[in-house]
Amino acid sequence: MKVIVDQDKCVASGQCVTAAMDVFDQRDEDGIVVLLTENPPESLAADVHQAAAVCPALAIVVED
Amino acid sequence: MARAAGCPFDPPPKLRELQEEAPLTKVEVFGQTAWMVTRYDDQRRLIGDPRVSSDVYKPGYPAGNRILPRQDDDTGIGFILMDDPEHARMRRMVTAPFMIKRVEAMRPQVQQIVDDLIDELLAGPKPVDLVQAFALPIPSLVICQLLGVPYEDHDFFQKNSSILLRTSASIEERTKARGNIGGYLHELMGDKLENPKDDLLSGLAERVKAGELSRKDAAGIGVLLLIAGHETTANMIALGTLALLEHPDQLAKLRDTDDPKLISSAVEELLRYLTITHQGRRRAILADIEFDGQILKAGEGLIFPNDIANRDPEMFEDPDALDITRDARRHIAFGFGVHQCLGQPLARMELQVVYGTLYRRIPTLRRAVELDEIPFKHDGGVYGVYNLPVTW
């Protein structure tokens, strides 16, 4: 599984952090997404897909 | 559109009909025609499309004569009615305080506010109006602290924002209310420029000093956040409580748990089930969009009633049932796309604290009047109840 985030699209909703806090974080100055790991373990697949689905800006792409 | 008699928590039946029979259809509304989009998937696909605009002054924006005239006064319109890139530039100036970790850091303060208000309720007379005594003060206190607005002025801005959001108020009344709040924020911004403190408005004042933002736009953002910050959450607290009182099995599950996961799940489900932003999101089409075999033309309007999208059976099984154990996290009660509610992490946290505390501390909470005596905000820009007499 590979995760790609687009910081330009991101609107800092933080819902990816709520869905998968081991994979996503927010940068301190404006809350824009920070990817903690590009290749999260399979055990987090459901959470990562949830994060991508709730991102209002469609800024997260997951390649299985 | 009207809700069915006796079903105050359900979207208007006409919307259900459209969703089943004509999910993308032209309707007459506000004296103009606009596309009504009623399915969950379609709403998500279209509202995020860069060819749609949130600018109310663009041709086709469905608002008819409900648009307030452009105000050349003390405040900008706020980024809610702007498009990118200007929208993104301004929005990013205020996203930091709504980060998940910063909102979590506020949780103990919010818990304290909720506990204190419940202490006051328990010590005071009953029945009591839950809206005035509990639902409004919580988000109002929280947003005042966050923005740096003196809470003593809450009567003033609560009254004006309530007029501004009421669809039955005249355009003159609403313009005046908008002007009142605008003038207030413009003054306050002056104070923040001179005596900055550790709050969001002072942060904006810094931007003004640095030449990144005009004082007018800073005040406009302040108006937006102040209004959005208390009306919405207050309505979710009161209407959510009423919905739970009408579903005692669900209320019991929530009252008897201290599992933060179930409490959070209940918040998501109540957001989905009630979708208090019942007027629907609206947009103007900037360039032709081919969508499922139809052409949505530039200059036409779009309406997204998110309440019916959140009851779409294709997305949520048995959508009209309130079930706090279901996974409702993909609801779009906060909207979708780049304009999605900025304050949603804060609203979610406040509701988790409220729903996780109120019914546990007052387990015998109940309505003090009949359901049909409760005035619902059918004319509100945000749905809810005007008052909710309760006892225990």
Side-chain angles (χ1 to χ4, degrees), chain A residues 7 13 15 26 30 50 53, chain B residues 44 92 95 100 340 344:
Chain A
Q7 291 185 323
S13 86
Q15 290 173 90
Q26 292 175 285
D30 55 10
Q50 172 67 19
Chain B
R44 280 185 40 136
R92 282 191 181 196
T95 40
I100 301 298
Q340 192 193 52
Q344 50 82 18

Side-chain angles (χ1 to χ4, degrees), chain A:
Chain A
M1 178 171 53
K2 189 179 180 214
V3 184
I4 301 159
V5 297
D6 185 337
Q7 291 185 323
D8 292 332
K9 276 189 172 178
C10 175
V11 293
S13 86
Q15 290 173 90
C16 53
V17 180
T18 306
M21 62 186 303
D22 294 329
V23 181
F24 305 97
D25 198 357
Q26 292 175 285
R27 63 184 186 209
D28 285 337
E29 62 269 34
D30 55 10
I32 296 300
V33 63
V34 175
L35 190 58
L36 297 175
T37 167
E38 262 186 39
N39 303 105
E42 276 309 307
S43 57
L44 295 177
D47 292 346
V48 171
H49 282 284
Q50 172 67 19
V54 294
C55 174
L58 305 175
I60 301 169
V61 176
V62 187
E63 289 171 358
D64 286 306

Side-chain angles (χ1 to χ4, degrees), chain B residues 158-321:
Chain B
Q158 280 171 3
K159 191 170 141 258
N160 281 289
S161 76
S162 153
I163 294 169
L164 186 59
L165 289 177
R166 197 175 307 149
T167 55
S168 57
S170 73
I171 203 100
E172 290 77 20
E173 286 172 302
R174 291 174 59 234
T175 305
K176 186 157 173 269
R178 175 70 171 72
N180 288 344
I181 304 183
Y184 174 78
L185 258 303
H186 191 260
E187 283 258 331
L188 193 56
M189 195 49 74
D191 180 46
K192 302 290 178 189
L193 282 163
E194 278 177 28
N195 309 300
K197 304 215 169 54
D198 184 20
D199 55 47
L200 191 150
L201 292 183
S202 298
L204 287 178
E206 287 301 313
R207 304 265 187 180
V208 174
K209 278 185 198 160
E212 297 167 30
L213 189 69
S214 67
R215 175 170 168 181
K216 182 175 152 167
D217 279 332
I221 294 174
V223 172
L224 173 62
L225 298 187
L226 183 58
I227 294 172
H230 66 269
E231 274 283 338
T232 44
T233 309
N235 283 312
M236 269 309 294
I237 292 172
L239 191 66
T241 298
L242 182 57
L244 287 165
L245 290 173
E246 298 307 304
H247 295 82
D249 56 325
Q250 301 297 313
L251 179 58
K253 279 185 205 168
L254 189 52
R255 190 176 48 214
D256 299 340
T257 189
D258 52 10
D259 175 7
K261 273 199 174 151
L262 181 57
I263 294 167
S264 159
S265 166
V267 168
E268 300 308 316
E269 171 65 350
L270 281 157
L271 285 164
R272 179 197 72 85
Y273 181 75
L274 297 170
T275 313
I276 56 168
T277 48
H278 68 149
Q279 276 202 315
R281 308 305 88 211
R282 285 169 275 163
R283 298 289 187 270
I285 302 169
L286 297 176
D288 290 4
I289 300 172
E290 201 182 326
F291 194 85
D292 289 349
Q294 308 214 56
I295 305 286
L296 316 182
K297 290 206 185 67
E300 293 180 330
L302 287 166
I303 301 176
F304 303 96
N306 30 350
D307 51 354
I308 198 68
N310 281 337
R311 299 287 187 101
D312 187 340
E314 298 278 317
M315 182 60 201
F316 300 102
E317 206 183 311
D318 195 9
D320 294 330

Side-chain angles (χ1 to χ4, degrees), chain B residues 312-333:
Chain B
D312 187 340
E314 298 278 317
M315 182 60 201
F316 300 102
E317 206 183 311
D318 195 9
D320 294 330
L322 176 69
D323 173 5
I324 66 164
T325 63
R326 82 159 82 217
D327 184 355
R329 289 178 297 168
R330 295 190 188 184
H331 69 74
I332 49 172

Side-chain angles (χ1 to χ4, degrees), chain B residues 17-139:
Chain B
E17 229 172 82
L18 284 176
Q19 188 179 61
E20 284 170 1
E21 288 157 27
L24 178 65
T25 191
K26 273 189 175 171
V27 294
E28 286 288 328
V29 65
F30 308 114
Q32 62 192 93
T33 43
W35 293 94
M36 186 78 95
V37 188
T38 40
R39 279 195 184 146
Y40 175 89
D41 273 335
D42 292 350
Q43 288 200 5
R44 280 185 40 136
R45 278 165 65 200
L46 274 170
I47 206 162
D49 194 296
R51 291 166 291 182
V52 307
S53 168
S54 290
D55 181 346
V56 289
Y57 301 107
K58 284 273 184 327
Y61 189 97
N65 59 5
R66 298 297 307 164
I67 301 177
L68 296 186
R70 263 183 208 275
Q71 285 179 328
D72 191 22
D73 62 2
D74 296 340
T75 51
I77 55 171
F79 49 79
I80 194 171
L81 305 178
M82 291 177 180
D83 292 328
D84 283 345
E86 192 54 11
H87 158 265
R89 191 183 76 83
M90 275 198 199
R91 179 174 165 130
R92 282 191 181 196
M93 290 182 184
V94 286
T95 40
F98 298 98
M99 287 172 62
I100 301 298
K101 57 186 156 200
R102 292 191 47 187
V103 165
E104 277 309 312
M106 291 171 70
R107 191 183 285 266
Q109 278 166 268
V110 173
Q111 184 69 56
Q112 191 63 53
I113 290 172
V114 170
D115 281 331
D116 289 349
L117 280 166
I118 294 175
D119 288 343
E120 281 176 37
L121 280 182
L122 289 170
K126 53 185 182 179
V128 64
D129 174 16
L130 195 76
V131 174
Q132 289 301 329
F134 187 73
L136 256 177
I138 292 166

